[in-house]
Amino acid sequence: TFMSAGSRADANYNVGTAIERYGDQDDAVVWYDRALKYDASHDLASDALERLKAVPDDETLPTPQTQLETPDG
């Protein structure tokens, strides 16, 4: 089955997003980087990679689940 470079980039970006949601930022970086190898102009992967690489090693970003929590519960 043939996938275009853009489709492969999207697939790798989507895997990175799923992995990041589960809190594994290091592995997410690997997948975002793979997406950019298929399509260097993939804006979403580029933005995600830049955001994660800007975080100091001793800090973690809140997962999307944490960001959605409300003070009431």
Side-chain angles (χ1 to χ4, degrees):
T1 305
F2 176 76
M3 285 181 71
S4 70
S7 295
R8 289 177 188 257
D10 288 342
N12 281 273
Y13 168 76
N14 289 336
V15 171
T17 299
I19 290 172
E20 185 180 356
R21 284 182 195 224
Y22 286 101
D24 193 341
Q25 295 172 358
D26 291 336
D27 278 347
V29 165
V30 171
W31 286 93
Y32 294 143
D33 190 46
R34 287 179 184 173
L36 291 171
K37 286 181 181 175
Y38 285 109
D39 180 2
S41 65
H42 196 285
D43 290 335
L44 294 173
S46 181
D47 291 346
L49 193 59
E50 184 177 321
R51 177 176 42 81
L52 289 180
K53 286 187 173 184
V55 176
D57 289 338
D58 60 343
E59 290 184 31
T60 57
L61 292 174
T63 61
Q65 294 88 352
T66 303
Q67 292 175 354
L68 297 175
E69 290 179 7
T70 62
D72 298 316

